[in-house]
Amino acid sequence: KPPRHLGKKEIHMLEEMLIYGFGRDNLHYTSIAMFLFSTFSFGMRFGDVVTLKWSTIKDLHIGYNMRKTQHALVVKLTSTVKLNLLKTFKS
């Protein structure tokens, strides 16, 4: 089977769904937001994304221990999209 992946167009469509709030009150919206955040955070594992706490975010950096390997990592929040995703969950 050929590899399956999302292209730039599909990622952009998911971003648009979040920006314009389509389905904001359902579980799919949250799942899409977490998926995009993981994607834009250098492939942060979904299990690590769901365990993040607001206290791990300092000065536009997220410091966390990877659950699978217990390695300490720091991800810099540089993308406007990531910041917008965080604002979505903060409000």
Side-chain angles (χ1 to χ4, degrees):
K1 288 184 175 182
R4 295 173 31 187
H5 64 278
L6 296 177
K8 288 182 182 181
K9 182 179 177 181
E10 291 85 8
I11 296 288
H12 181 71
M13 288 171 46
L14 292 173
E15 290 175 304
E16 292 290 314
M17 288 175 62
L18 294 180
I19 290 169
Y20 295 110
F22 299 129
R24 188 178 201 125
D25 296 328
N26 69 35
L27 188 59
H28 290 111
Y29 182 86
T30 303
S31 300
I32 291 169
M34 290 177 144
F35 169 78
L36 287 174
F37 186 82
S38 173
T39 300
F40 294 132
S41 299
F42 305 102
M44 184 186 291
R45 290 184 173 97
F46 184 77
D48 293 330
V49 172
V50 297
T51 60
L52 290 177
K53 294 182 170 71
W54 290 111
S55 60
T56 62
I57 302 171
K58 293 184 175 118
D59 298 324
L60 297 178
H61 289 81
I62 297 175
Y64 71 101
N65 286 329
M66 190 182 303
R67 288 176 47 186
K68 184 175 182 178
T69 62
Q70 297 304 312
H71 284 97
L73 297 170
V74 176
V75 176
K76 184 175 182 182
L77 298 174
T78 57
S79 169
T80 303
V81 174
K82 286 190 279 187
L83 294 174
N84 286 335
L85 287 170
L86 286 175
K87 287 178 191 175
T88 299
F89 291 104
K90 189 70 172 171
S91 55

